[in-house]
Amino acid sequence: MPDVKDVGALMSVTYDVAARDFVRAGEAASKLKRLLQQLGLDPAVIRRAAIAAYEAEMNIVIHSYGGQIKVDITPESIEMICEDSGPGIPDIEKALQEGYSTATEEIREMGFGAGMGLPNIQRSADQFRIESTVGEGTCLQVTILHEAGE
Amino acid sequence: MKLAEAVAALSLEVEDPQILDREVEGGYCSDLLSDVMAKAAGGSIWVTNQVHANVVAVASLIDAAAVIIAGGMQPEEETVKKAQDVGIPLLSTSLSAFDVVGRLYELGLRGTLRDG
């Protein structure tokens, strides 16, 4: 179960994401979506948050040894910190290119690894930061503003 | 169009007949999960050849009206269970994805594309 702390106007939730678990993959994004719906947020904002969370979750499942998605919901924004321990990304610029993927053939056959994950996150986000250390892991920071347009 | 109409017209196999009263707004056809995630609009009927459980997660996240698994593929057991858990109608058919889409188009459904 995610840890939910309601600190005044700020709500903070953390979802654990297991590596290589393709049956449970998507559950963190699904739980986040349900929470945002319960909070009554704008459907377009919820969809953008769902896309970002899903893609970040799948990246952790496919590429890392496991990680977490921590979400802070404030009156202004939804902020996600998606952190994993794993091999890291040697060339971030390349990883951000649409169509570039290091996923295996087996993963691609399942319909993942199209090289759309990080670009989808970037497009859904109002602010996006990525940091990665080879041999240690990757951290994404994604901010989605409640008021911003698509 | 009600989902039940499409199911009857295409003789689709139904995993859970309880949930066919949903309104279908249009359709989307792709086997790339990120593509569906980014572009299919809510209320779409999603035509795919993928059979694994993550299909249900994506369908639920985009608020799909239903998933049609085409080409005579059978959904995995875990996929069927998940679909029942989250209330996503899971349909299957021996028709190819091309034929499924063609027939849905004849019924008046059109492709959806999410804004933005």
Side-chain angles (χ1 to χ4, degrees):
Chain A
M1 282 299 287
D3 178 28
V4 182
K5 284 183 229 124
D6 192 353
V7 192
L10 175 98
M11 182 179 263
S12 188
V13 199
T14 301
Y15 304 98
D16 288 324
V17 181
R20 315 299 294 184
D21 185 345
F22 286 95
V23 173
R24 289 190 53 208
E27 281 185 8
S30 298
K31 284 177 187 164
L32 175 63
K33 183 191 168 193
R34 229 169 300 142
L35 175 64
L36 299 179
Q37 283 174 326
Q38 283 162 4
L39 293 172
L41 300 186
D42 176 58
V45 168
I46 294 176
R47 175 70 183 257
R48 289 163 60 212
I51 293 171
Y54 172 78
E55 297 291 4
E57 184 178 4
M58 291 318 303
N59 279 347
I60 295 172
V61 171
I62 293 167
H63 299 288
S64 87
Y65 311 141
Q68 281 190 330
I69 299 177
K70 181 170 174 286
V71 188
D72 286 339
I73 303 154
T74 72
E76 292 78 36
S77 71
I78 303 163
E79 185 170 312
M80 298 179 213
I81 308 282
C82 315
E83 205 164 7
D84 69 52
S85 48
I89 303 172
D91 189 338
I92 289 178
E93 212 176 299
K94 233 180 188 178
L96 290 173
Q97 280 171 19
E98 186 112 38
Y100 178 82
S101 175
T102 57
T104 62
E105 194 56 37
E106 183 196 1
I107 298 282
R108 287 171 202 249
E109 277 174 13
M110 292 174 77
F112 305 110
M116 295 174 70
L118 287 173
N120 275 355
I121 296 173
Q122 237 178 338
R123 266 193 296 269
S124 300
D126 292 300
Q127 289 161 39
F128 173 81
R129 270 177 53 195
I130 179 166
E131 282 167 24
S132 191
T133 309
V134 171
E136 286 183 24
T138 300
C139 183
L140 300 183
Q141 191 178 342
V142 178
T143 305
I144 294 167
L145 302 174
H146 298 309
E147 294 298 326
E150 282 279 326
Chain B
M1 178 199 299
K2 289 285 185 203
L3 183 55
E5 283 178 55
V7 169
L10 277 71
S11 304
L12 300 171
E13 285 173 46
V14 181
E15 294 294 341
D16 186 352
Q18 309 298 315
I19 42 180
L20 296 184
D21 59 344
R22 173 110 199 231
E23 196 66 33
V24 181
E25 311 287 346
Y28 200 84
C29 180
S30 177
D31 290 333
L32 294 179
L33 303 175
S34 289
D35 176 54
V36 177
M37 198 62 220
K39 293 180 191 154
S44 298
I45 203 163
W46 171 23
V47 183
T48 183
N49 288 327
Q50 297 289 354
V51 295
H52 57 79
N54 206 254
V55 165
V56 177
V58 171
S60 172
L61 283 167
I62 67 164
D63 196 23
V67 178
I68 301 180
I69 297 178
M73 319 282 222
Q74 289 301 313
E76 290 172 7
E77 204 178 304
E78 201 66 49
T79 311
V80 175
K81 202 169 133 261
K82 280 221 159 188
Q84 280 165 349
D85 286 350
V86 302
I88 288 286
L90 195 60
L91 313 165
S92 58
T93 175
S94 57
L95 292 171
S96 73
F98 185 95
D99 283 330
V100 170
V101 172
R103 298 228 195 153
L104 292 175
Y105 211 90
E106 274 181 0
L107 291 174
L109 283 186
R110 294 295 177 263
T112 68
L113 201 57
R114 186 181 72 100
D115 297 336

